[in-house]
Amino acid sequence: MLEAPPVASDPQDPTGSVLVDDGVAALGQLRSLWLHDAMLPGVIQQTDPDIAEEIVATVRRFVDREVMPVANELEHADEYPTALVEQMKALGLFGATIPEEHGGLGLDVVTYARIVEELSAGWMSLSGVVNTHLIAAGLITRRGTDDQKARLLPRMATGELRGCLSLSEPDAGSDTSSLRCKATPDGDEYVLDGAKAWVTNGMRASVVALAARTPEGITCFVVEKEPGQAFEGISISKTVGKLGYKGLETVEMVYDGHRVPKAAVLGGEAGLGRGLHDILSGLELGRINIAARACGVARAAFDAAMRYSRERETFGKPIGEHQAIQFKLADMATKLEAARLLTRSAAEKYQSGERADVEAGMAKLFASETAFELATESMRIHGGMGYSTELPVERYYRDAPLMIIGEGTNEIQRLVIARGLLQRWQAANPKG
């Protein structure tokens, strides 16, 4: 999986067809040296620190050399980054958190979050290409049947099969109890009927983690389909235009009498009625992804502000030497560091096998608000140039709000955090 497709050998190739140095080969060599000890159930083994550093450095070089030169042009054209996605496949990023036994890299969540930050610092949309894919893969890894794991995970790890998550509906977003999409038993099959909204990667996906109502309650189905506008009883009814987060599709999908075998229930018969629990648990990883994305956008905005504060001069000196700008830079750096530490803390908690709903919510809440604030402050520091499309600052400003809304709005995050804190307090102080 980690072998690159044939590419030109010229490191200066202007077409962008050359992968980062020998990054793919290096990852393959590192992976072969990574020996695993026995894992405790629910615990994600820590990635060897040296390997983690090399992987993150490889992704950073990929972003610097391949992504940054083309990101603005692709984003403004709202063009799907086909060539970049192919290179991400070759780097193994579609299998980042998929266990090695199923062909993935088996990285821990801390390393995955660092990769997401690097991608997002270059172009946030790239992290969206892999986010719901790995949420779907994670659901199959943790809850899938042996057959579901064996058939789907190896091909998902290479990116041959793309995954997406389908939970929200036109009339049911944060209120998951209002889901209307239903799965009606019919012999050895289920018949799916309903509409789903805000499905990222929905058109290009081959595997959909779908929440639908069965007689037992909300159940998660692993729906297999062909990529494209329509497949049997599944159709794309609308492609959503967006303020930012361009270059990949966000769609509404309709299920009209679409039939799936009973074997499509995530985890088999034991998974009936527990879909909401499984998907919401999977969203903890999604919220860590969103927090890491926010850190990437915030870092890019901060770096742009630092660079401009040294280049731009007023009143005979760089603007970075004016106290007003220094105050802004100090606050930006402090909040960025805090956001990254919260994200790391949530990732460490998640990979330890403990419930991380509070920590993931805190990281997502703080990091996303920080990204929006830093994008705004960077634009102010840049003045008129920050408002122009010549620099990527305006892109950061348009991309940042997604993290405030995605994987549960920040208003919902505050509820998740507060309820989790109260539950933990009650458990620790039963007489209090």
Side-chain angles (χ1 to χ4, degrees), residues 20 38 40 48 91 95-96 142 166 179-180 197 216 226 231 240 256 264 275 293 308 325 340 382 385 391 398 411:
V20 182
L40 295 174
D48 180 276
L91 288 170
R142 292 191 303 276
S166 194
L179 291 178
R180 296 180 181 177
E216 295 81 5
E226 294 294 330
F231 173 73
V240 181
D256 184 9
R293 286 196 221 187
Y308 194 74
I325 301 300
R340 297 177 81 183
H382 280 79
M385 288 303 298
L391 298 178
R398 288 184 291 104
E411 288 70 30

Side-chain angles (χ1 to χ4, degrees), residues 96-119:
T97 58
I98 294 175
E100 286 186 281
E101 65 195 81
H102 298 298
L105 294 178
L107 301 178
D108 65 24
V109 182
V110 172
T111 307
Y112 169 59
R114 294 177 65 192
I115 289 171
V116 169
E117 180 182 326
E118 295 299 333
L119 291 173

